[in-house]
Amino acid sequence: MDHLSDDALMHKVRTGDPQKLGLLYERYKKRLFGFFYQMHKDAALAEDMVQNVFMRVLKHKNTYKMENKFVAWIFQIARNVNYDHYRKNNRRVNQVELDHANHTISGERDIDEQLVRNEKIDALHVAMSQLSSEKRELLVLSKFKELKYKEIGKIMGCSEGNARTKVHRALKELSGIFLELEKG
Amino acid sequence: MDQIEFSEILIEYVSGKLSPDKQEDCDAFLLAHPEHLQEVEQLKMAWLKLDDQIIPEPSEQMDNRFYAMLREESQEKNTNKDTFLNRLRAFFFSDDIGLTMRQVAFACLLLVGGVFLGNKFQKSVADVSPTLASETDEVRSELVMALIDQPSASKRLQAVNEANKLDAATDIIIDALFKTLHNDPNINVRLATIESLSKYAAQPKVRQGLVESINQQESPLVQLALADLMVTLQEKGSIDSMKELLEQPDIDTTVKQQIRSSIEQIS
């Protein structure tokens, strides 16, 4: 059913049928929420930013070109929303905000397991917060199975090869931070 | 494979984005060059640790806000409803005309509406003014409702095909389509109904209805069409319904295989 592809739906939105954006919203809302949540560890903020992304999709719908992949285009918008948030709030990108980390005590009987899990999450938060915003974005984007490095390059505004190199460096840096934390 | 090539694709190797052949080449390279193993293991460990992140589910509020914004956007695009349909309704339901006259007038509307829509509206509705497009949709909706309960399967099929041409379906049309999907004795009509409903799958109510329809259908062709649609929509909410369908004792073997494949493609 070609009329349900991302491109076809976005074409409909562009040509006067905004309702079709609903289906694109359903397809991408969780990935976008996950992206913003991993950047900021704030669920309410992540929801605001998702809303912002779709408002911009509507506002700038005429800039969408059929030859681009929709996933790359919408994540470019997401990055811009992220960048604007940092600029507006004048936040230091390496600031650690463990308060926003969502640790839920599940029904697990083994509290030790839960504590170990929480420690792992804390370690990840600390390590990620020590990376630059760009490196965190790269790592979060590279985790999405459907994003190849070609698309990541388009989102980040660089070549495919460059995207690979950048992710490699980010992961290497993250790995180094984990090793330091373990020693500490 | 040499070291330069390995370095270029190392990150894809670590992140599992390589084809199986390339993956094997890298495994072979590492076997031959164990000095790279430590770096690879550290990178893999860091990659896996990224999965320690727990991401909560977004709240219902996020959906509510989005759909409220979309409604506002749609309302801005709509012009004031023309009074054509109101005039038409006033004529048909006026107390001044008798029942026989009303039946004759309605039959004439069906005839004229069918000919008009069939011959005159071949071009895309986007080519005509919004006012005319809105009128066309309303006439078309009336036609759908008039035909969808007809004894003739070809008339019911015509109703479903007309519904497919609507720019926006009302709740009444959507409900009528679901009633057809669940109850129509003709498989072709039910298959056409799925095609028609897929057009409105952006609406949560329609998606939910389609998911609930999965294990209500007995025809293998209809079951497969619904499963294909769920894959296209990537509707994770349909996985449980499809699993329930797999549990049915009399399920067709081909359908069973296809449903399993559909579940994998969505998960």
Side-chain angles (χ1 to χ4, degrees):
Chain A
M1 293 183 192
D2 286 343
H3 65 273
L4 291 175
S5 70
D6 289 351
D7 266 348
L9 290 169
M10 193 58 212
H11 176 67
K12 291 265 184 187
V13 173
R14 277 184 60 193
T15 52
D17 188 358
Q19 287 301 316
K20 294 296 183 283
L21 190 62
L23 195 43
L24 289 168
Y25 170 78
E26 294 296 333
R27 283 182 190 171
Y28 286 93
K29 66 181 184 182
K30 281 197 174 172
R31 274 176 279 182
L32 286 167
F33 176 83
F35 173 74
F36 289 125
Y37 183 80
Q38 288 180 85
M39 296 304 294
H40 301 279
K41 306 295 181 287
D42 184 335
L45 176 61
E47 289 187 10
D48 284 346
M49 293 172 103
V50 170
Q51 178 78 354
N52 208 334
V53 165
F54 283 97
M55 281 169 62
R56 291 191 191 195
V57 166
L58 279 174
K59 190 176 173 188
H60 302 293
K61 57 183 182 281
N62 293 323
T63 66
Y64 177 70
K65 293 181 176 39
M66 296 289 278
E67 58 267 24
N68 294 335
K69 273 193 108 171
F70 180 79
V71 62
W73 186 69
I74 201 168
F75 272 100
Q76 274 175 319
I77 294 176
R79 283 198 74 226
N80 290 338
V81 166
N82 201 36
Y83 175 72
D84 287 348
H85 170 79
Y86 276 121
R87 225 169 26 137
K88 200 189 273 186
N89 292 280
N90 199 26
R91 291 162 71 109
R92 288 175 48 229
V93 299
N94 288 333
Q95 193 168 354
V96 175
E97 300 214 2
L98 287 177
D99 289 345
H100 291 292
N102 281 338
H103 298 172
T104 55
I105 302 295
S106 66
E108 286 176 69
R109 287 179 192 169
D110 193 342
I111 299 295
D112 284 341
E113 255 183 56
Q114 184 68 48
L115 285 171
V116 165
R117 183 127 177 83
N118 285 351
E119 273 174 25
K120 281 184 181 174
I121 296 168
D122 281 341
L124 176 60
H125 290 167
V126 169
M128 287 286 271
S129 69
Q130 292 182 30
L131 295 175
S132 69
S133 175
E134 191 194 56
K135 284 183 177 136
R136 278 190 292 171
E137 284 179 341
L138 278 161
L139 289 175
V140 170
L141 289 172
S142 62
K143 269 289 180 178
F144 290 130
K145 290 190 182 89
E146 59 276 273
L147 281 179
K148 304 283 180 270
Y149 285 101
K150 187 177 174 184
E151 278 102 50
I152 293 174
K154 277 191 180 148
I155 293 166
M156 302 302 290
C158 63
S159 68
E160 181 180 351
N162 210 350
R164 273 200 202 97
T165 306
K166 286 185 177 195
V167 172
H168 185 168
R169 283 187 192 146
L171 196 60
K172 198 166 178 176
E173 190 175 330
L174 185 70
S175 160
I177 295 169
F178 277 132
L179 285 171
E180 285 300 317
L181 287 174
E182 274 166 24
K183 279 182 202 168
Chain B
M1 178 178 286
D2 61 25
Q3 187 170 331
I4 293 173
E5 200 187 337
F6 178 72
S7 301
E8 279 170 6
I9 60 174
L10 172 56
I11 196 61
E12 279 162 296
Y13 175 69
V14 163
S15 56
K17 290 187 198 260
L18 284 179
S19 66
D21 287 344
K22 281 279 182 197
Q23 194 85 18
E24 273 179 30
D25 289 345
C26 288
D27 289 340
F29 177 86
L30 281 172
L31 216 55
H33 299 89
E35 65 273 21
H36 294 286
L37 270 172
Q38 192 184 12
E39 185 196 359
V40 170
E41 286 308 310
Q42 282 171 0
L43 288 174
K44 270 190 181 171
M45 191 184 60
W47 179 258
L48 290 171
K49 280 189 177 178
L50 285 170
D51 291 332
D52 285 344
Q53 174 76 67
I54 294 176
I55 301 173
E57 288 290 308
S59 72
E60 227 176 83
Q61 276 308 307
M62 191 173 86
D63 288 352
N64 293 342
R65 284 170 63 190
F66 170 78
Y67 285 108
M69 176 192 73
L70 205 57
R71 268 194 302 275
E72 265 182 51
E73 179 74 17
S74 294
Q75 275 161 16
E76 273 176 30
K77 292 211 168 294
N78 284 340
T79 56
N80 289 331
K81 277 196 184 297
D82 191 78
T83 59
F84 171 76
L85 187 67
N86 288 337
R87 289 200 300 271
L88 203 61
R89 283 197 178 121
F91 172 72
F92 281 125
F93 296 104
S94 164
D95 289 335
D96 294 335
I97 62 168
L99 181 62
T100 309
M101 202 47 201
R102 194 174 294 157
Q103 284 173 328
V104 168
F106 197 66
C108 288
L109 169 71
L110 285 179
L111 184 63
V112 168
V115 169
F116 190 52
L117 289 168
N119 292 337
K120 298 290 182 189
F121 287 86
Q122 294 301 314
K123 58 183 176 175
S124 161
V125 174
D127 293 341
V128 302
S129 72
T131 307
L132 186 52
S134 177
E135 283 176 22
T136 307
D137 251 22
E138 285 169 356
V139 171
R140 192 166 259 140
S141 296
E142 300 280 338
L143 192 59
V144 169
M145 295 311 294
L147 293 173
I148 206 157
D149 286 326
Q150 293 288 314
S152 155
S154 62
K155 290 265 187 294
R156 299 197 304 276
L157 196 56
Q158 187 186 350
V160 171
N161 289 336
E162 289 301 328
N164 209 5
K165 295 174 194 167
L166 288 167
D167 268 353
T170 60
D171 283 350
I172 294 172
I173 296 284
I174 298 289
D175 288 344
L177 287 172
F178 272 115
K179 191 177 157 197
T180 303
L181 177 59
H182 296 150
N183 300 314
D184 200 289
N186 187 292
I187 287 178
N188 290 331
V189 173
R190 298 207 304 276
L191 286 172
T193 307
I194 293 172
E195 178 77 30
S196 200
L197 281 165
S198 75
K199 197 178 158 181
Y200 309 109
Q203 298 177 33
K205 173 187 167 180
V206 173
R207 291 169 77 93
Q208 187 56 35
L210 287 166
V211 166
E212 286 166 6
S213 301
I214 291 170
N215 50 19
Q216 293 178 26
Q217 295 293 327
E218 289 177 357
S219 155
L221 285 176
V222 178
Q223 288 168 343
L224 286 175
L226 281 168
D228 281 348
L229 179 55
M230 292 302 119
V231 172
T232 305
L233 295 173
Q234 283 296 297
E235 178 53 61
K236 286 186 166 38
S238 68
I239 291 176
D240 285 345
S241 293
M242 287 201 277
K243 283 181 176 170
E244 277 177 36
L245 185 60
L246 286 175
E247 300 298 317
Q248 286 179 11
D250 50 352
I251 186 171
D252 179 271
T253 315
T254 310
V255 171
K256 208 167 188 174
Q257 280 172 357
Q258 200 55 38
I259 298 283
R260 281 200 185 113
S261 167
S262 299
I263 291 172
E264 272 170 35
Q265 287 177 70
I266 294 172
S267 302

